[in-house]
């Protein structure tokens, strides 16, 4: 198929572009010089980071709902945006597609393209923006950024078909497929669009296409299958080119969840379209069809949970390059031409994001070699193996080693349950190879190698870290080593469990999208990574899984229809997750895209809670939706608490829906919902608060949720319940006893009743049960249970004992807000509060930063030489309240002047030992004689 279309090929004359850019730069410089000569104080105002659908220059996106954002770089304090202008074109500095005109607005996030632009498939669009500041000064046009659409409908695939090996079955080695494409002319640019039933990896002329792993990612394949777009221009040449594909079982055919197999189908299949644009402007398409050929490959088994068995004796050297004799290969079977489920992948793919090298090798039993990577991670090992023809080497993995007894130093794998988590490599000939499995993924810190005569050197064993490649936007560094390690553990938990979907654990035979886990962790997740595209993709999965009554299953994707549970704290993810993302970013796109379905879910919640004629939720529960794994629940759960928990969730869901409705401009709906939470709270207090102030079951969770989530409006009642809470904590020796649902609210509840000191005490505990205990026991990720390792060094119950579960890492949100001090006042940090708790537990310094959608927001505080210093950076077009413990307003300096008279400081107040300064954008250095934030008693 030929045409003269070349829509994804941008202007190809680099010299012309360079000259044009130089010319405009020169003009810009002249203009700046002129402005500089005319104005007394020269300003530097420019556009910084530009994103589309929260991604930088995304390749292969859908054409609907395209959302633009940018940051502003400005040196002057107090910079705001008063207006913007956008142009979109099919050439680098063109505006042939859209021109916004000058728009008077401070909006920088989620500026959507009009829906009637009729964006074309497989087309690159360039865009630029310029902004005006509060004084009316304009920036230059930004450098061009771009986005490129993928294939948008089945017709765009130009007749590509799903192809499979002719005799594909689960017992046969995983297939290889190939085709030779002849390109008669010089290639200007080229794209591959591809997807698979199963996992795929493509090569062109023997070189890997793209840098992603585990494509096409996990969705409910019966409803939606993601397709990826690759720029393959550098891989092609004039003449013959070989496209190769290897297929593995993945989520489609392999083990998912609790060893469920073949959930979506049993035949592995591939679909590909290669679109080539030649230098003469003509294009040609090549697609998967009956002309492709297939053969068995060397992967005898390739399963995400069980691992890979690789038999090098089955390799066909050169199969994916030129000059290979494919006479024995068989024509493929054409499976189907139904491409209706294909959609462009909307988020960043799974990539290798880091490589760890083993630091230690031990031999705990003869011939058993164990390597320590020093970090519980998710991915695969890369090992240099030496062996003889027909020799099979076995590679096993574990998160932990036995710490005592006769197995001391050996792998602890009981907690993997049925997942085999084992790779094997069989040598085709004597010698050394570097082996890395392709279609599997393990959760591990330790690598065990057996079946070798010569063990690999320590430096020859590496861990390739996998994860959905979300932008790293935030960090928190603390001078207390335990707390600092805890933050690292939380962050590694996020990396390892964000693999195409948000999972509970990456290691055992589960690895499921448990809705409750991410519901609890999403606010924390948003502090450290830009979750927008990733969680927005998962919201598509939730919509796919929504039940006719509006309810949401407890695991999504829901791979096994028989596991059909729902429940409070889990299903509510459909509201809490988009809320967390919108609140953290000020970007309503994730809400807008799901709003109709979210409202259906909320109606379900509302009707369930109100069906008995009151506002108390007593029915929407299942076996796990009490406070899961609470220590007050006898090991697993405490179900008598569900009434308290469920009514709190009803109030919270309603509050969040009201705020999101307001963000979407649905003011009537927002007002209606906003009126309800006070009534639910009154009903809660009447039903569950006893006259002496105690809450119903008297558990830590009941107090934490009632206080931390503001269920008690009356100040005196709140204080009385607060005292009961502290009594309860005292009986628990000031140690936590909460499970999944209660834990995130423990420290906020203590702050709410003015007991920052007790919040810090719980956080700083290092004996069982506590976060610090895990760290002291050597954890490098967050555990599933408080007793995943018991104080005596024994492991917790093996049937459910993950070392990498992020739910209890939800404390990361509190630490970011209260130790780093960066809090959200208006969504997306449009207005922030910088209010670190200083002076507890020997913590002398904290540094915190986040790349907000408006730019970098940062704080760094330090106690030294009798002085508290606080450096803050506030992004352009935002403001902040900086709260500093001090004796008076006058006691706070900024740089060399009194803080109140420093440029950019718009106001100051003093109350209860704290000075609050209102500041505009810019960088500030505050200092005051040393004080602690609040009461620092030690009960
Ligand atoms: C998972 C959890 C999940 C829970 C539901 C467990 O098996 O690992 O994290 O939320 O089941 O009760």
């Amino acid at each position: 198929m030929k045409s003269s279309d070349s829509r994804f090929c941008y202007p190809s004359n680099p010299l012309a572009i360079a000259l044009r850019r130089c010319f405009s730069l020169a003009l810009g410089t002249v203009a700046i010089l002129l402005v500089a000569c005319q104005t007394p104080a020269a300003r530097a105002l420019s556009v910084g980071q530009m994103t589309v659908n929260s991604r930088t220059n995304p390749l292969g996106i859908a054409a609907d709902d395209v959302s633009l954002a940018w940051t502003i770089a400005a040196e002057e304090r107090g910079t705001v945006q008063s207006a913007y202008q956008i142009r979109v074109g099919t050439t680098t500095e063109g505006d042939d597609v859209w021109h916004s005109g000058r728009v008077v607005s401070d909006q920088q996030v989620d500026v959507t393209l009009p829906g009637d632009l009729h964006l074309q498939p497989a087309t690159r669009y360039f865009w630029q923006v310029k902004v005006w500041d509060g004084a009316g000064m304009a920036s230059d046009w930004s450098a061009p950024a771009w986005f490129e659409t993928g294939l948008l409908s089945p017709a765009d695939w130009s007749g590509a078909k799903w192809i499979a090996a002719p005799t594909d079955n689960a017992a046969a080695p995983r297939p290889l497929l190939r085709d030779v494409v002849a390109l008669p002319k010089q290639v200007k640019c080229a794209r591959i669009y591809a997807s698979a039933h199963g996992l795929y990896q493509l090569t062109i002329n023997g070189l890997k296409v793209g840098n992603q792993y585990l494509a096409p990612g996990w969705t409910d394949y019966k409803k939606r299958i993601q397709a990826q777009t690759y720029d393959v221009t550098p891989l092609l040449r004039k003449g013959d080119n070989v496209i190769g594909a290897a297929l593995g079982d993945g989520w489609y055919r392999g083990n998912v969840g609790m060893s469920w197999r073949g959930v979506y189908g049993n035949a592995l299949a591939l679909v590909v379209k290669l679109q080539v644009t030649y230098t003469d402007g003509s294009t040609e398409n090549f697609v998967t069809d009956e002309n492709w050929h297939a053969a068995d490959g060397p992967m005898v088994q390739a399963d995400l949970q069980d691992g890979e068995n690789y038999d090098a004796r089955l390799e066909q050297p050169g199969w994916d390059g030129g000059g290979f004799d494919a006479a024995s290969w068989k024509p493929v079977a054409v499976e189907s031409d139904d491409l209706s489920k294909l959609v462009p992948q909307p988020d960043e793919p799974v990539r290798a994001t880091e490589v760890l090298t083993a630091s230690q090798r031990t031999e705990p039993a003869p011939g058993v070699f164990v390597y320590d990577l020093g970090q519980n991670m998710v991915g695969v090992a890369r090992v240099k193996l030496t062996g003889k023809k027909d020799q099979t080497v076995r590679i096993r993995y574990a998160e932990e080693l036995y710490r005592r007894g006769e197995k001391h130093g050996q792998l602890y794998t009981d907690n993997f349950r049925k997942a085999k988590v084992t790779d094997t490599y069989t040598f085709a000939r004597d010698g050394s190879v570097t082996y890395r499995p392709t279609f599997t993924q393990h959760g591990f810190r330790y690598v065990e190698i057996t079946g070798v005569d010569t063990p690999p050197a320590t430096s020859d064993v590496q861990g390739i870290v996998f994860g959905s490649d979300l932008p790293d936007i935030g960090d928190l560094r603390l001078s207390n080593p335990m707390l600092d390690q805890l933050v690292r553990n939380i962050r590694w938990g996020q990396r390892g469990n964000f693999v195409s979907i948000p999972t509970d654990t990456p290691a055992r035979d589960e690895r499921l999208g448990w809705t409750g886990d991410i519901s609890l962790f999403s606010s924390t997740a948003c502090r450290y990574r830009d979750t927008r595209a990733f969680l927005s993709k998962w919201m598509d999965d939730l919509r796919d899984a929504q039940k006719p009554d509006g309810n949401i299953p407890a695991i999504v994707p829901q791979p096994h229809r028989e596991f059909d549970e729902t429940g409070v704290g889990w299903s509510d993810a459909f509201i809490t997750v988009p809320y967390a993302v919108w609140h953290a970013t000020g970007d309503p796109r994730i809400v807008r895209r799901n709003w109709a379905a979210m409202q259906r879910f909320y109606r379900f919640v509302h009707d369930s809670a109100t069906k008995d004629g009151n506002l108390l939720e007593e029915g929407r529960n299942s076996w796990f939706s009490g406070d899961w794994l609470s220590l007050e629940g006898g090991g697993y759960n405490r179900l008598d608490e569900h009434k308290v928990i469920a009514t709190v969730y009803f109030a919270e869901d309603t509050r969040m829906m009201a705020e999101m409705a307001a963000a979407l401009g649905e003011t009537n709906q927002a007002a209606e919902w906003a009126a309800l939470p006070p009534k639910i709270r009154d009903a809660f207090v009447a039903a569950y608060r006893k006259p002496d102030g105690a809450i119903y079951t008297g558990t830590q969770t009941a107090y934490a949720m009632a206080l931390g989530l503001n269920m008690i409006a009356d100040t005196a009642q709140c204080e009385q319940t607060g005292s009961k809470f502290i009594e309860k904590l005292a009986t628990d020796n000031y140690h936590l006893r909460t499970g999944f649902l209660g834990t995130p609210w423990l420290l906020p509840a203590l702050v709410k009743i003015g007991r920052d000191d007790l919040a810090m005490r719980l956080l700083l505990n290092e004996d069982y049960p506590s976060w610090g205990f895990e760290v002291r026991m050597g954890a490098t990720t967050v555990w599933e249970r408080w007793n995943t390792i018991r104080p005596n060094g024994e492991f917790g119950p093996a049937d459910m004992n993950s070392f990498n579960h992020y739910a209890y890492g939800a404390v990361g949100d509190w630490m970011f807000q209260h130790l780093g001090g960066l809090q959200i006042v208006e969504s997306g940090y449009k207005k922030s509060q910088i209010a670190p708790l200083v002076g507890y537990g020997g913590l002398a310094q904290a540094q915190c930063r986040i790349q907000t959608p408006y730019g970098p927001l940062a704080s760094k505080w330090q106690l030294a030489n009798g002085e508290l210093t606080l450096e803050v950076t506030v992004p352009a077009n935002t403001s902040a309240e900086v709260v500093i413990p001090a004796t008076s307003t006058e006691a706070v300096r900024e740089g060399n002047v009194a803080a109140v008279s420093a440029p950019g400081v718009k106001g100051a107040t003093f109350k209860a030992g704290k000075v609050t300064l209102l500041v505009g954008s810019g960088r500030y250095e505050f200092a005051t004689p040393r004080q602690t934030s609040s009461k620092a008693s030690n009960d």
Side-chain angles (χ1 to χ4, degrees):
M1 190 193 282
K2 291 179 200 252
S3 83
S4 61
D5 201 348
S6 61
R7 291 177 305 219
F8 54 66
C9 281
Y10 38 96
S12 64
N13 183 342
L15 186 63
I17 295 172
L19 283 175
R20 213 167 53 231
R21 295 279 319 141
C22 275
F23 185 62
S24 67
L25 272 178
L27 278 182
T29 312
V30 171
I32 288 168
L33 285 174
L34 285 175
V35 171
C37 294
Q38 285 164 4
T39 44
R43 290 175 229 238
L45 178 75
S46 59
V47 173
Q49 196 184 355
M50 298 164 69
T51 52
V52 177
N53 301 351
S54 75
R55 301 168 64 195
T56 304
N57 296 339
L59 179 68
I61 61 171
D64 63 317
D65 201 14
V66 176
S67 161
L68 311 179
W70 57 88
T71 63
I72 296 171
E75 278 164 20
E76 182 149 325
R77 286 183 180 175
T79 299
V80 295
Q81 173 189 294
S82 60
Y84 69 80
Q85 189 168 351
I86 296 169
R87 63 189 187 200
V88 181
T90 47
T91 55
T92 46
E93 288 169 4
D95 63 355
D96 54 314
V97 175
W98 186 58
H99 205 300
S100 69
R102 184 171 182 274
V103 181
V104 177
S105 166
D106 70 347
Q107 189 181 354
Q108 279 175 263
V109 179
D110 191 38
V111 177
T112 50
L113 293 189
D116 58 1
L117 292 183
H118 305 296
L119 299 180
Q120 297 301 303
T123 302
R124 181 167 292 201
Y125 294 95
F126 297 88
W127 69 287
Q128 290 172 278
V129 61
K130 73 191 294 185
V131 295
W132 284 261
D133 69 9
M137 176 171 148
S139 72
D140 283 339
W141 280 107
S142 67
W146 55 264
F147 61 94
E148 190 176 305
T149 50
L151 302 185
L152 306 177
S153 72
D156 299 335
W157 284 84
S158 310
K161 296 176 179 121
W162 288 102
I163 58 168
T167 55
D168 190 24
N169 66 60
R174 304 307 172 260
L176 301 175
L177 295 88
R178 79 191 295 274
D179 190 30
V180 181
V181 296
L183 306 180
K185 297 180 266 189
Q186 209 63 44
V187 175
K188 180 177 169 193
C189 57
R191 298 286 181 271
I192 274 190
Y193 306 91
S195 190
H197 293 157
L199 302 177
Y200 72 93
Q201 185 170 291
L202 296 177
T203 51
I204 290 184
N205 302 323
L207 295 173
K208 179 170 155 63
V209 170
N211 58 3
Q212 53 188 288
Y213 293 91
L214 309 182
W218 193 4
T219 52
D220 182 343
Y221 301 119
K222 296 192 171 162
K223 297 191 171 158
R224 197 163 41 85
I225 307 176
Q226 299 186 131
Q228 288 71 41
T229 302
Y230 305 93
D231 181 351
V232 293
T233 313
L235 300 178
L236 292 168
R237 57 190 175 223
K238 187 176 169 189
D240 282 354
N241 294 266
V242 178
I243 309 179
L247 300 181
D249 295 5
W251 297 281
Y252 187 86
R253 180 170 86 172
N255 284 305
V256 292
M258 287 71 155
S259 302
W260 305 319
R261 284 195 66 78
V263 169
Y264 301 99
N266 285 310
L268 304 181
L270 175 76
V271 64
V272 169
K273 170 181 170 179
L274 166 66
Q275 183 172 343
V276 178
T277 304
Y278 298 110
T279 46
D280 66 3
S282 64
T283 69
E284 194 167 7
N285 296 320
F286 304 87
V287 296
T288 40
D289 57 17
E290 43 288 327
N291 295 319
W292 282 57
H293 286 76
D296 288 348
M299 281 176 233
V300 178
Q301 173 181 275
D303 184 85
L304 285 170
Q305 296 189 355
D306 284 348
E308 177 177 291
N309 297 340
Y310 189 94
D311 190 340
R313 294 170 301 188
L314 302 177
E315 280 177 348
Q316 304 198 39
W319 70 275
D320 54 359
F324 175 75
D325 178 7
S328 64
W329 287 47
K330 305 241 166 17
V332 294
V334 171
E335 282 276 300
S336 128
D337 58 4
D338 177 7
L339 305 180
S340 59
K341 297 187 181 65
L342 290 171
V343 295
Q345 179 172 354
D347 63 338
E348 293 299 325
V350 174
R351 295 196 178 99
T353 57
E354 193 172 340
V355 177
L356 306 177
T357 300
S359 56
Q360 201 187 338
R361 181 180 80 196
T362 53
E363 191 177 357
V368 176
F369 300 98
V370 174
Y371 297 79
D372 182 2
L373 292 164
Q375 173 63 50
N376 196 10
M377 56 156 277
V378 171
V380 291
R382 181 167 64 197
V383 291
K384 191 169 173 200
L385 299 170
T386 304
K388 298 201 176 63
K389 184 176 182 314
D390 301 329
Q391 186 173 356
T392 296
V393 176
R394 193 171 68 148
I395 308 167
R396 297 200 309 141
Y397 303 82
E399 295 180 283
E400 265 295 332
L401 303 181
Y402 283 100
R403 296 180 169 213
R404 50 171 58 201
E406 58 189 34
K407 290 189 182 167
H408 183 256
Q410 296 186 28
L411 301 193
Y412 168 69
T413 57
D414 294 355
N415 67 327
F416 290 163
R417 303 193 302 215
K418 287 191 195 139
K420 295 195 182 78
V421 195
T422 303
D423 302 320
T424 63
Y425 181 90
T426 303
F427 280 84
R429 60 193 67 81
D430 297 0
S432 293
V433 292
T434 296
Y435 169 66
R436 179 184 73 65
T438 305
F439 293 130
T440 190
Q441 168 225 305
H442 309 304
F444 62 103
R445 168 174 170 171
Y446 301 95
V447 180
E448 178 201 86
I449 298 182
T450 52
V452 285
D453 303 324
T454 314
T458 308
S459 58
D460 284 338
V461 174
Q462 294 181 313
I464 313 286
V465 179
F466 280 179
S468 286
D469 198 5
L470 282 62
D472 185 342
I473 54 164
D475 202 7
L476 173 63
R477 293 287 160 91
L478 300 163
S479 63
N480 176 309
M482 183 277 281
L483 295 180
D484 200 53
Q485 181 66 42
L486 177 58
V487 173
R488 274 202 293 277
N489 294 0
I490 292 167
R491 304 200 61 192
W492 273 97
Q494 179 170 9
R495 288 174 79 175
N497 281 295
F498 277 19
V499 180
S500 186
I501 63 157
T503 58
D504 56 338
T505 165
R508 66 170 176 239
D509 61 341
E510 195 149 350
R511 311 176 185 196
L512 290 168
W514 279 99
T515 45
D517 300 43
I518 185 60
S519 171
L520 298 163
F521 187 67
S522 51
S523 306
T524 303
C526 294
R527 305 278 181 188
Y528 298 101
R529 300 261 164 177
D530 189 340
T531 60
R532 282 177 284 178
F534 175 79
L535 289 176
S536 194
K537 176 266 170 193
W538 187 65
M539 287 294 286
D540 295 343
D541 299 331
L542 286 174
R543 276 204 322 279
D544 280 350
Q546 189 166 28
K547 293 164 179 289
D549 62 4
N551 206 355
I552 294 290
I555 52 174
V556 176
Q558 190 191 5
H560 203 265
R561 300 282 164 214
E562 283 174 28
F563 191 90
D564 205 22
E565 303 280 348
T566 65
V568 166
W570 271 254
S571 306
D572 305 77
F574 206 34
I575 291 175
T576 59
V577 169
Y579 178 86
V581 174
W582 162 72
H583 187 240
T585 61
D587 186 342
R589 186 172 186 265
I590 189 170
V591 179
R592 193 176 61 239
R593 293 172 62 77
N594 297 288
W595 192 232
M598 286 165 63
Q599 289 183 80
R600 281 211 296 132
F601 174 70
Y602 178 70
R603 288 280 156 227
F604 171 81
V605 171
H606 179 276
D607 293 352
S608 168
T610 53
K611 70 176 179 313
D612 295 333
N614 61 33
L615 295 171
L616 302 175
E617 173 61 86
E618 302 199 355
R620 198 168 60 86
N621 284 286
S622 66
W623 56 270
F624 52 83
S625 60
D627 194 17
W628 182 244
L629 300 187
S630 144
L631 293 174
E632 300 192 86
Y636 282 89
N637 219 341
R638 176 147 178 170
L639 285 172
D640 65 342
E641 218 162 36
H642 75 256
K643 295 179 185 177
V644 172
I645 293 172
T647 304
V648 174
Y649 264 93
F650 177 37
E652 274 295 278
D653 285 349
T654 311
R655 175 185 69 82
M656 291 179 186
M657 287 298 282
E659 287 184 36
M660 290 187 280
L664 295 184
E666 298 194 8
T667 42
N668 291 342
Q669 184 63 83
E672 185 194 321
W673 283 334
L676 194 50
K679 295 181 188 151
I680 302 172
R681 291 177 193 136
D682 287 348
F684 175 92
V685 167
Y688 303 129
R689 186 180 176 279
K690 296 180 184 168
D692 67 354
I695 299 285
Y696 188 50
T697 52
T699 54
Q700 287 189 12
T701 291
Y703 286 110
M705 293 186 81
L707 294 167
L709 287 162
N710 305 312
M711 295 301 285
I712 307 170
D714 181 85
T715 315
Q717 286 190 346
C718 200
E719 268 173 26
Q720 194 189 19
T721 298
S723 305
K724 285 281 170 195
F725 180 27
I726 291 164
E727 275 175 32
K728 163 67 179 153
L729 280 177
T731 62
D732 293 332
N733 193 24
Y734 300 103
H735 279 68
L736 52 76
R737 313 271 302 152
T738 44
F740 274 31
L741 300 185
T743 300
W745 307 111
L746 265 182
L747 307 190
L750 289 165
V751 170
K752 163 91 184 169
I753 59 172
R755 295 308 300 267
D756 308 346
D757 57 317
L758 285 184
M760 286 304 290
R761 182 168 173 178
L762 254 59
L763 184 66
L764 287 162
N765 281 337
E766 294 196 15
D767 54 344
Y768 175 80
S770 65
W771 293 279
F773 172 70
E774 299 184 10
V775 174
R776 191 156 64 75
M777 295 302 272
T780 57
T781 40
V782 176
W783 297 344
E784 176 173 26
R785 298 170 169 278
W786 298 117
N787 58 359
T788 283
I789 300 180
R790 300 195 164 103
N792 67 3
E794 283 174 7
F795 295 119
D799 64 333
M800 237 189 54
N801 203 29
S802 144
F803 294 83
N804 193 357
H805 241 69
Y806 49 52
Y808 289 143
V811 72
D813 185 19
W814 189 90
M815 294 172 77
F816 196 93
Q817 292 189 59
H818 294 280
L819 302 185
L822 302 184
Q823 302 174 28
I824 300 164
V825 177
E826 283 174 25
S827 67
Y829 304 86
K830 178 80 170 124
K831 181 170 182 185
S832 56
Q833 187 176 70
I834 303 179
L837 288 177
V838 301
Y840 290 105
L843 190 62
Q845 196 190 333
Q847 282 187 60
C848 193
R849 64 159 176 90
I850 182 165
Q851 178 70 19
T852 77
Y854 298 96
L857 173 71
S859 73
K860 177 181 176 184
W861 64 262
Q862 185 164 14
L863 287 171
N865 308 322
E867 201 170 57
L868 166 66
T869 53
L870 174 62
E871 295 168 28
V872 305
T873 304
V874 178
N877 205 23
T878 75
S879 62
E881 294 165 2
V882 183
V883 183
I884 301 174
T887 49
S888 67
T889 311
E890 295 71 36
V892 183
R893 299 189 319 277
E894 196 282 311
N896 295 324
V897 299
V900 277
S901 49
V905 175
K906 297 178 207 158
T909 53
F910 176 75
K911 197 177 162 196
K914 288 177 187 169
V915 171
T916 300
L917 301 159
L918 184 61
V919 303
S921 70
R923 207 174 157 276
Y924 302 82
E925 291 182 8
F926 299 106
T928 191
R930 176 183 178 144
Q931 303 284 317
T932 27
S933 290
S934 175
K935 190 167 168 185
S937 73
N938 276 317
D939 296 51

